[in-house]
Amino acid sequence: MAFSKEEIAQRIAKEIKDGYYVNLGIGIPTLVANYIPKGINIVLQSENGLLGMGPFPFEGEEDADLINAGKQTITTLPGSSIFDSAMSFGMIRAQKVDLTILGAMEVSENGDIANWKIPGKMVKGMGGAMDLVASAKNIIVAMQHVNKAGESKLLPNCTLPLTGVKCIRKVVTELAVLDILPGGGFKLLERAPGVSVDFIKQSTLGRLIVEGEIPEMQLN
């Protein structure tokens, strides 16, 4: 069966290494904060000006003054630091962030990403996405494989306005884990439990590369 948003976040959390500074984008990426593996010491950075972000608060324990970039209430950990956006983006532009996890509307087989605007719909602005994709050392995308109409969001070329070009290296969806190869193409690494390779092929409009047996995703 296809993974839920929470399970996508849980799978991405396995990509985080000890000592990383990690930025979580709006949407599915914010859920990753709830699934940091035990024994892993990392620092979560929120682009609105926070180092040391913890998991979401329990109901009734929310502090309206503590929010992430998506305006969701969050918790802070001992030793956390709060500062202005200028310092936050200074960290991002100086490549002090080891891993960025972003949501996306579309990703191309060349690693292009579109994640900020759908023409004709109201948009508040690009936010920090352009700085993140231009400066991040490593970017993983958490997204839905297909849209509500069942159409692929992994494409030969993005149809929506681009946020960044040739900057994405890994994508995790409800169906699969895929690497984007330097020469282009989605290389299938893992599949969601019960999801066939053929179904992933049908759901991927961009060039899909399948080599050998594809294992199922493991969350633990």
Side-chain angles (χ1 to χ4, degrees):
M1 295 179 64
F3 272 176
S4 66
K5 292 179 180 180
E6 289 76 16
E7 287 170 322
I8 293 172
Q10 193 173 349
R11 173 59 186 83
I12 289 178
K14 295 178 64 176
E15 299 290 324
I16 298 174
K17 308 300 182 185
D18 192 58
Y20 268 15
Y21 283 77
V22 182
N23 179 281
L24 302 180
I26 296 170
I28 298 174
T30 61
L31 299 173
V32 173
N34 292 332
Y35 299 106
I36 304 302
K38 291 182 179 179
I40 296 292
N41 182 27
I42 67 161
V43 178
L44 294 178
Q45 192 247 20
S46 184
E47 66 200 53
N48 56 321
L50 172 64
L51 276 179
M53 183 168 57
F56 287 121
F58 291 109
E59 186 175 354
E61 298 180 1
E62 301 93 341
D63 182 342
D65 290 328
L66 289 178
I67 60 172
N68 60 21
K71 298 182 173 59
Q72 297 166 302
T73 53
I74 56 171
T75 60
T76 54
L77 300 176
S80 64
S81 176
I82 296 172
F83 38 85
D84 63 21
S85 291
M87 182 172 288
S88 178
F89 279 92
M91 294 176 188
I92 292 167
R93 293 170 184 173
Q95 297 186 319
K96 302 298 185 182
V97 176
D98 298 294
L99 173 64
T100 296
I101 303 170
L102 294 175
M105 299 166 187
E106 294 177 346
V107 172
S108 81
E109 64 188 39
N110 293 319
D112 303 341
I113 179 174
N115 77 340
W116 75 282
K117 182 178 182 180
I118 297 176
K121 293 192 176 183
M122 188 180 77
V123 61
K124 294 179 181 179
M126 185 171 282
M130 183 176 284
D131 288 271
L132 287 164
V133 300
S135 305
K137 301 175 184 177
N138 184 17
I139 304 172
I140 297 176
V141 166
M143 67 183 293
Q144 298 294 322
H145 208 104
V146 298
N147 62 23
K148 293 179 180 178
E151 299 165 334
S152 178
K153 297 166 71 173
L154 304 182
L155 306 170
N157 296 288
C158 293
T159 63
L160 296 173
L162 293 182
T163 310
V165 175
K166 295 184 178 180
C167 56
I168 308 304
R169 291 292 171 264
K170 188 181 290 288
V171 179
V172 181
T173 76
E174 77 276 20
L175 302 181
V177 179
L178 309 106
D179 269 350
I180 297 179
L181 301 181
F186 297 101
K187 183 176 180 179
L188 183 58
L189 303 180
E190 301 172 24
R191 56 189 174 85
V195 174
S196 69
V197 171
D198 283 342
F199 186 78
I200 295 170
K201 287 178 180 178
Q202 294 167 18
S203 303
T204 308
L205 198 57
R207 184 162 66 97
L208 185 68
I209 299 162
V210 181
E211 296 177 351
E213 291 292 322
I214 306 300
E216 292 187 345
M217 285 192 245
Q218 302 295 321
L219 298 182
N220 300 315

